[in-house]
Amino acid sequence: MSSVKIMVCMGPGGIASGGAEVISAFESELRQANVSADIHKGCSLHKVGCFGLCSKDVLVDLIIDGAKTTYQSVKPEMVRRIVSEHIIGNLPVAEWTADENYHNFYKKQVKVVLSDCGRIDYENIDSYISEGGYKAAEKVFAGMTPEAVTAEIKNSGLRGRGGAGFPTGVKWEACRKTAAGQKYIICNADEGDPGAFMDRAVIEGNPHAVIEGMLIGSYAIGASRGYVYIRAEYPLAVERLKYAIKDAHERGFLGSNIFGSKLKFDIQLKLGAGAFVCGEETALIASIEGQRGMPRPKPPYPVFQGLWGKPTVINNVETLANIPYIIKKGSAWYSSYGTEKSKGTKVFALTGKVKNTGLIEVPMGITLREIIYDIGGGIEGGKALKAVQTGGPSGGCIPANMVDINVDYESLARVGSIVGSGGMIVLDEDNCMVNMAQYFLQFTQSESCGKCVPCRIGTKRLLEILSRITKGKGRDGDIELLEKLSRDIKSASLCGLGQTAPNPVLSTIKYFRNEYEAHLKGKCPAAVCKELLTYYILEEFCKGCGACLRACPSKAITGEKKKLHKIDPAVCVKCGACFDVCKFKAVKKE
Amino acid sequence: MVKLNIDGRMIEVAEGTTILNASRMLNIEIPTLCNHPKLTPFGGCRLCLVEVKGVPRPLTSCTTPVSEGMEVTTSTPALEDLRKTVLELILSDHPNDCMICEKAGDCTLQELAYFYGISPYNPPLLKGDKGGFLGERRIYEKRDGNPFIERNMEKCILCGRCVKVCDEIQGVGAIDFAYRGFKSKICPPFERDLDCEFCGQCVAVCPTGALTGKMWQLRGRQKDIKEVDTTCAYCGTGCNITLHVRKNEVVRVTAKEDKWNEGWLCVKGRFGYTFINSPDRLKKPLIRIAPKHIADFGFRISDLNSEVRNQQSAIFKEVSWDEALDYISAKLKEIKEKHGPDSIAGLSSARCTTEENYLFQKFMRAAVGTNNVDHCARL
Ligand SMILES: Cc1cc2nc3c(=O)[nH]c(=O)nc-3n(C[C@H](O)[C@H](O)[C@H](O)COP(=O)(O)O)c2cc1C
Ligand code: SF4
Ligand code: SF4
Ligand code: SF4
Ligand code: FES
């Protein structure tokens, strides 16, 4: 009698690619194929969290008697063959199984916080428990003092994954030592960085790890209440977390007399309305208190005066989800990964022009080259790497010639970027750096809370200067003005948003000043900025097929059949339709 | 107590004092816009930045409490440069029409721009350039049909003082920040017309011409004003007020922060002064001479046109205070004798002081001889 486990990715990428349909296909195919009773007994279908390689979703793991086969890019119509040939016939459908590239994607990764993600059924607390879940909390409640717990976390070298990289153990210790009748622990699940989705993946794929991390934290600092501040745009994460909290309550991991102690701990969800700035800890506290989410100056720090004026620890989802694994396997094990000052692993959302995009977890200190070429599979379409933007709108870019840099807090800071929450966008020769800086500024400007002048008005002016540059209307001295204003905004702004908003501008100027200068002269070297482009047709390639003429929405193209076609620049709206449609690469943009 | 060093001078202040307040004790000037001594610190304008030894970035002195051994520098070329940038940015989103602004001459922003030598059209940052920061400006749809508060919100610098005073002092919360980014603004819920108590505390704390009094418009610049300190006569609270008088006419009322009412007023004290020069105002006592039914017109005398009103003399006679009081006393005596003291009752007013109310009940009990005395505030 064989046991069959079917694990379907229902992470953010899995769902977007049709994971739910794949699951129903499995359900109906299994029913229809009338999988014989003995197999059926041991055949279970599981919804699991993010596998990592989202670009190959829907990913399905088929585990027959312990042997795992992974299928990639599964569509509902492929399920019938998988069921009949593999589950029933015991012969894998070779052409759909994961290729070498898939396996290479994981080779250099080290999964700690994501170790159970994609392996356990997020809807089933027993699935988490069977993988050792809640053992760490039990260990803590049964035999560790709060001092010992904070010491263990300190020794592990874990630093906050929410962006700033503050040592978690130090934060906990400060809060533990602050005397107060009531303390709070808050899980920051606001995740507002564009392109970041690691916190979402962790909550959706392994919600109990976050709960267990909070539970251990509550014990260490002496908090009886916890909040998860989670953005309302994550309805699935909210639902799965709610469900997990209910289950944890039923099993006695939350509530009163936890693990037979006199301690109690409860978690409440607070939904954020989707303001990026509400991820900033003091704004987040204001928001929970029912105020407008605007940061306040620190000191006092939340560990001394936080929610409702009480000592409060705020940690990021990924930070907290690491805790159970550190307690279970020990600080020495955790700190064996990483560099001297940046310990452990970090999850990155790898996107942009690499072959493999998705969530990756790598040991700190891995080189950028390894991430892009070994894990990411290199640049798509054989183009040249130009730069990597890390840390989202608060971060900076790292030019291609620095690709051997180690990815850790210190090394990235040294070159003017940050680890941040783990956004990693790979840019190739077709990306315009000025345009990219403008994109991020657009985001930070519209997300500024409006409280302080340098951020509210300063980023607006930065954006205006950038947009006149990308429109070919830049003035002499604009680059210097950008630099000066950026520095002033960084030093005069109140919170991390304003203090980091100019980073994309400063780092692109630092490494790609020539691109800015080219724009001032009216050229966009990457041919991205529309206003600076002209489209024309190369005589030697044009076959006169007329495809461009038909595609042009503004009738800017003229030409007789089989004769050279021409674009009238005065009529052209620069939509690029001709460029996309020409099979002979005769349309050029410059 | 905490000892610290500010600009090379030692000072000892109470724990919890802000760097800004400690500096002011030493008469060290730090520019501020959003700070207000009576409101909780905000930290939004970023003008009050100072350097603290050992801290890598400048701190806002209005929000940072002192600590033992702190070494503060309040002015360096770098700090002054940051302050200039901040002011340039504010002015880049400001109408800069001081010449027709109600607040000119009494405006903190104008004064700071003056002392820092900043013109919005040619920021010093960009010598020779044609206004590097000039860009989009906020435009507001004007929505203030109310009779008291004039809101020119494009002059608003979002210092948050009005929001705080409305919440922290008045306890009303009629306005707050709305939107994000450059579009942030202060407004009532759903951007509706202002509909509140109209106490005008927000007007009192606004450092710019964004909030002014409707009745103040074009009534004269501060330099032409004679200030007369007095006490508000509207109620027993007895707020200290300052009448702004131009050409023997009250054109504005404010209150001083060092008086016991700390600069706060209510709508009556702040905006209810037009009665002073009203032609309908009674200045002398009147005694009715016509029989009662003639006065039963069914409408108020003040509703009559002036011609008819002059016929007042047919109904009332103007008398001196002595005559009026004698008349009252005679009438009271007459009623008391005829019907007994309990046929008389007295109703006093919240507009009187405690002392006056005390005297009134004393008068009713001792002179008239009845306990029939009450007070409107009990209703
Ligand atoms: C503008 C801004 C947005 C932020 N957004 C987030 C966020 O979405 N999630 C998060 O965990 N931390 C965010 N942070 C960082 C938090 O303020 C805080 O440092 C963090 O939650 C602390 O947790 P950690 O020590 O575990 O990293 C943000 C900070 C700033 C300035
Ligand atoms: S830096 Fe920006 S987001 Fe932060 S407080 Fe100032 S205005 Fe608000
Ligand atoms: S608010 Fe002040 S700076 Fe602005 S226009 Fe009026 S007087 Fe000038
Ligand atoms: S209206 Fe006046 S007090 Fe209110 S935020 Fe604007 S400038 Fe400040
Ligand atoms: S006075 Fe301190 S920030 Fe405005």
Side-chain angles (χ1 to χ4, degrees), chain B residues 20 31-35 42-49 60-63:
Chain B
L20 178 67
T32 62
L33 266 173
C34 67
N35 187 258
F42 185 62
C45 77
R46 318 304 289 169
L47 280 176
C48 70
L49 289 171
T60 39
S61 58
C62 69
T63 60

Side-chain angles (χ1 to χ4, degrees), chain A residues 274-275 292 294 297 445-454 456-458 460-461 464 468 475-476 481 484-485 488 490-494 499, chain B residues 42-46 49 57-58 63 81-82 85-86 89-90 92-93 125-126 129-131 133 135-136 157-158 177-182 184:
Chain A
R292 175 179 161 98
M294 288 208 285
Q445 154 57 216
S446 57
E447 289 298 327
S448 156
C449 83
K451 181 169 182 174
C452 67
V453 173
R456 180 183 76 243
I457 311 178
K460 173 76 179 173
R461 299 300 174 236
E464 284 171 347
R468 75 179 175 230
R475 306 171 189 167
D476 273 354
L481 184 58
K484 153 86 175 134
L485 184 54
D488 286 353
K490 276 172 75 83
S491 38
S493 289
L494 192 163
Q499 287 164 10
Chain B
F42 185 62
C45 77
R46 318 304 289 169
L49 289 171
R57 58 169 51 252
T63 60
D81 193 47
L82 281 182
T85 304
V86 167
L89 287 171
I90 294 178
S92 77
D93 182 29
L125 174 63
L126 289 166
D129 193 282
K130 10 175 178 12
F133 287 169
E136 189 185 328
I157 57 166
L158 279 104
F177 287 79
Y179 299 99
R180 290 197 288 268
F182 189 69
S184 306

Side-chain angles (χ1 to χ4, degrees), chain A residues 50-303:
Chain A
C50 181
F51 281 51
L53 190 55
C54 307
S55 52
K56 291 287 185 293
D57 260 316
V58 177
L59 290 160
V60 176
D61 272 353
L62 196 58
I63 306 173
I64 303 183
D65 292 332
K68 185 171 89 176
T69 313
T70 303
Y71 287 96
Q72 62 185 29
S73 308
V74 177
K75 304 260 167 306
E77 54 273 22
M78 292 157 66
V79 171
R80 174 165 296 169
R81 263 186 78 191
I82 297 177
V83 171
S84 63
E85 291 178 26
H86 194 170
I87 298 182
I88 299 171
N90 227 342
L91 245 180
V93 188
E95 70 238 59
W96 294 339
T97 55
D99 52 15
E100 197 190 333
N101 180 53
Y102 179 85
H103 298 291
N104 285 342
F105 178 75
Y106 292 101
K107 241 179 223 161
K108 292 215 165 162
Q109 295 196 44
V110 175
K111 299 235 177 183
V112 175
V113 67
L114 294 179
S115 56
D116 290 328
C117 219
R119 294 197 327 126
I120 60 162
D121 187 336
Y122 51 79
E123 276 176 348
N124 186 346
I125 190 170
D126 288 319
S127 177
Y128 181 63
I129 292 173
S130 69
E131 297 290 335
Y134 289 106
K135 279 277 178 310
E138 190 178 0
K139 178 173 163 190
V140 162
F141 275 76
M144 285 175 85
T145 59
E147 288 79 5
V149 178
T150 43
E152 185 72 354
I153 300 303
K154 256 168 102 172
N155 290 340
S156 76
L158 174 67
R159 291 167 64 171
R161 300 300 192 228
F166 190 83
T168 306
V170 176
K171 194 187 266 188
W172 285 17
E173 188 173 47
C175 191
R176 179 174 59 70
K177 286 185 174 161
T178 311
Q182 177 73 56
K183 294 181 193 177
Y184 298 98
I185 183 164
I186 299 175
C187 170
N188 187 343
D190 195 48
E191 193 161 61
D193 276 15
F197 59 105
M198 52 285 287
D199 294 348
R200 173 178 170 186
V202 168
I203 293 182
E204 290 183 1
N206 193 3
H208 286 288
V210 181
I211 297 173
E212 190 177 2
M214 289 181 77
L215 181 59
I216 295 169
S218 79
Y219 180 84
I221 64 168
S224 61
R225 300 203 56 181
Y227 285 86
V228 179
Y229 189 89
I230 182 166
R231 56 194 295 126
E233 295 97 319
Y234 282 179
L236 262 182
V238 172
E239 186 186 304
R240 292 179 192 175
L241 197 55
K242 265 191 193 156
Y243 193 81
I245 290 174
K246 185 180 77 66
D247 274 354
H249 253 285
E250 276 165 15
R251 299 296 174 96
F253 300 134
L254 294 176
S256 319
N257 305 106
I258 298 166
F259 294 112
S261 70
K262 291 210 172 67
L263 299 171
K264 50 181 187 177
F265 183 60
D266 272 309
I267 297 178
Q268 202 178 322
L269 294 195
K270 170 81 194 176
L271 301 202
F276 174 56
V277 73
C278 284
E280 198 282 336
E281 51 192 10
T282 58
L284 186 151
I285 287 173
S287 178
I288 293 183
E289 289 174 351
Q291 319 263 359
R292 175 179 161 98
M294 288 208 285
R296 61 152 175 81
K298 296 179 275 191
Y301 288 91
V303 285

Side-chain angles (χ1 to χ4, degrees), chain A residues 282-586:
Chain A
T282 58
L284 186 151
I285 287 173
S287 178
I288 293 183
E289 289 174 351
Q291 319 263 359
R292 175 179 161 98
M294 288 208 285
R296 61 152 175 81
K298 296 179 275 191
Y301 288 91
V303 285
F304 304 115
Q305 267 181 49
L307 185 61
W308 316 112
K310 302 292 184 204
T312 303
V313 156
I314 300 187
N315 275 130
N316 166 259
V317 170
E318 190 187 332
T319 314
L320 288 166
N322 265 304
I323 302 287
Y325 300 98
I326 294 175
I327 295 289
K328 242 182 323 195
K329 299 192 178 170
S331 56
W333 163 81
Y334 188 78
S335 62
S336 69
Y337 296 110
T339 64
E340 194 199 332
K341 287 190 175 152
S342 305
K343 297 293 184 199
T345 58
K346 171 81 191 96
V347 182
F348 288 94
L350 185 62
T351 54
K353 304 290 179 62
V354 276
K355 284 205 188 88
N356 304 329
T357 56
L359 276 194
I360 61 168
E361 183 170 357
V362 289
M364 287 279 190
I366 190 172
T367 65
L368 202 49
R369 182 185 294 283
E370 288 172 286
I371 293 183
I372 298 172
Y373 293 98
D374 298 342
I375 298 174
I379 309 299
E380 242 187 342
K383 300 253 174 163
L385 172 72
K386 185 188 244 180
V388 180
Q389 166 78 19
T390 66
S394 318
C397 66
I398 301 161
N401 62 7
M402 291 187 180
V403 71
D404 286 308
I405 190 175
N406 298 94
V407 177
D408 59 59
Y409 291 107
E410 287 70 31
S411 308
L412 291 196
R414 219 174 293 128
V415 299
S417 191
I418 59 168
V419 171
S421 60
M424 192 174 269
I425 307 171
V426 179
L427 307 166
D428 71 6
E429 49 191 290
D430 290 340
N431 289 99
C432 167
M433 302 311 280
V434 188
N435 179 278
M436 190 206 62
Q438 187 187 356
Y439 165 78
F440 281 121
L441 246 290
Q442 184 89 51
F443 176 79
T444 36
Q445 154 57 216
S446 57
E447 289 298 327
S448 156
C449 83
K451 181 169 182 174
C452 67
V453 173
C455 175
R456 180 183 76 243
I457 311 178
T459 57
K460 173 76 179 173
R461 299 300 174 236
L462 277 186
L463 183 59
E464 284 171 347
I465 299 169
L466 283 170
S467 71
R468 75 179 175 230
I469 293 179
T470 55
K471 289 200 173 74
K473 299 201 175 110
R475 306 171 189 167
D476 273 354
D478 268 353
I479 303 178
E480 292 72 24
L481 184 58
L482 283 174
E483 288 177 309
K484 153 86 175 134
L485 184 54
S486 291
R487 280 195 302 269
D488 286 353
I489 294 171
K490 276 172 75 83
S491 38
S493 289
L494 192 163
C495 85
L497 195 155
Q499 287 164 10
T500 60
N503 284 351
V505 180
L506 284 177
S507 79
T508 48
I509 295 183
K510 183 171 171 189
Y511 296 116
F512 297 94
R513 200 182 183 97
N514 55 341
E515 287 199 23
Y516 280 82
E517 284 162 354
H519 281 76
L520 287 185
K521 293 194 188 105
K523 277 261 170 298
C524 173
V528 170
C529 298
K530 230 170 129 182
E531 273 85 348
L532 301 182
L533 289 183
T534 36
Y535 283 85
Y536 59 93
I537 297 173
L538 293 172
E539 191 168 355
E540 57 270 41
F541 291 113
C542 178
K543 301 260 189 293
C545 73
C548 56
L549 188 145
R550 287 189 292 277
C552 177
S554 63
K555 300 199 167 45
I557 303 179
T558 48
E560 283 170 42
K561 263 210 149 73
K562 306 233 160 117
K563 293 226 173 90
L564 173 64
H565 282 50
K566 268 212 160 91
I567 301 176
D568 181 354
V571 185
C572 170
V573 292
K574 299 169 185 180
C575 69
C578 54
F579 183 88
D580 295 338
V581 83
C582 180
K583 279 194 226 121
F584 310 104
K585 289 195 169 23

